[in-house]
Amino acid sequence: MPDFGQILGIRASNQHSCRVMSEVTQPSDELVDQVSRTTGLTTEDARRVVADVLAYFTETTEEYVRRRHRELQTYGARNDEIFARLGDELRHWPVRSPELSARQLRRIVYG
């Protein structure tokens, strides 16, 4: 179980920081109002829930893999099962592209 409100991170194989969402310091009032209206939560509780969800999705790939590997090992899963599951989970994880320099972008386009 993640520690809600904790900001986590991962590195992609190309050594660039690969965050799911940009680090969020304060959830938008519009989103908090929407969550409050649709769930019946107080504004304060909705703000905390939104902040927790956003913080959860700032976990990097490397940190996610390490954390999930530890969690799955705790429940007796073997490495071959763990890595297959992690691969599947990462395919569905809302990962954002790392920040790339102009040179890196040029290499993507022209090889």
Side-chain angles (χ1 to χ4, degrees):
M1 194 85 188
D3 293 329
F4 293 106
Q6 179 182 12
I7 295 180
L8 306 171
I10 303 175
R11 288 211 181 271
S13 60
N14 64 1
Q15 298 302 310
H16 292 285
S17 178
C18 185
R19 293 211 175 266
V20 176
M21 298 183 82
S22 60
E23 290 190 22
V24 177
T25 57
Q26 192 76 313
S28 76
D29 291 336
E30 183 180 350
L31 179 56
V32 170
D33 290 343
Q34 173 68 20
V35 170
S36 181
R37 276 193 313 274
T38 60
T39 63
L41 293 172
T42 66
T43 301
E44 296 79 26
D45 287 341
R47 185 172 305 283
R48 184 182 48 78
V49 168
V50 170
D52 286 346
V53 170
L54 293 175
Y56 179 80
F57 282 109
T58 62
E59 185 174 35
T60 66
T61 304
E62 184 178 57
E63 290 170 337
Y64 176 79
V65 168
R66 288 178 180 156
R67 176 182 59 80
R68 287 294 290 148
H69 185 269
R70 282 191 306 272
E71 288 172 359
L72 295 170
Q73 272 188 327
T74 299
Y75 294 106
R78 296 172 14 166
N79 276 342
D80 55 339
E81 300 168 62
I82 292 171
F83 294 130
R85 183 168 178 173
L86 286 173
D88 185 53
E89 289 177 2
L90 287 172
R91 278 189 288 280
H92 297 87
W93 200 253
V95 176
R96 184 176 70 96
S97 173
E99 187 173 332
L100 301 171
S101 69
R103 180 178 179 191
Q104 291 167 317
L105 292 171
R106 202 170 17 258
R107 283 191 173 174
I108 290 171
V109 173
Y110 298 111

